Amino acid sequence: MRSIGNGDPQVCVQNILNIVRGQAPYLRDMGLDGSLYDKPIEEVKPLVIADAEEQIETYEERVSINEIDVIETKDHNLKIVPDITVLEN
């Protein structure tokens, strides 16, 4: 799978943020808290940001988090926009 680009740190961060906790078979703690969905964005935005930061720090050590923003899309979904820096090996 790495040959198709999904081993890149940026791709891994996006994968972490697109998984609902409990969805990954051998990594049940990976992913965002599913109970945060279907609530008003003003209420969950700080919770989603904190959860996303914790997940990225736990599962993707090759990046440093500069900022995470949560926006509401036109169809009322949450979009998590991470600003990260890839660390040198």
Side-chain angles (χ1 to χ4, degrees):
M1 296 186 105
R2 289 183 184 262
S3 64
I4 59 172
N6 68 352
D8 293 330
Q10 299 91 333
V11 173
C12 291
V13 167
Q14 285 303 316
N15 288 340
I16 292 166
L17 298 178
N18 288 328
I19 295 172
V20 175
R21 193 168 297 137
Q23 193 175 26
Y26 294 101
L27 296 168
R28 294 290 182 192
D29 290 335
M30 179 189 282
L32 298 179
D33 183 357
S35 70
L36 299 177
Y37 295 91
D38 295 334
K39 294 184 181 179
I41 190 168
E42 300 82 20
E43 180 181 328
V44 298
K45 185 175 181 176
L47 301 173
V48 170
I49 290 171
D51 197 24
E53 286 178 354
E54 179 183 344
Q55 290 296 306
I56 294 169
E57 289 171 355
T58 301
Y59 292 104
E60 187 48 76
E61 298 173 351
R62 299 176 292 173
V63 301
S64 173
I65 302 168
N66 301 321
E67 182 180 17
I68 296 178
D69 194 16
V70 178
I71 58 174
E72 186 175 8
T73 62
K74 290 179 183 178
D75 54 350
H76 304 290
N77 290 319
L78 294 181
K79 181 176 180 179
I80 304 168
V81 183
D83 177 18
I84 58 171
T85 301
V86 177
L87 304 174
E88 297 295 321
N89 293 1

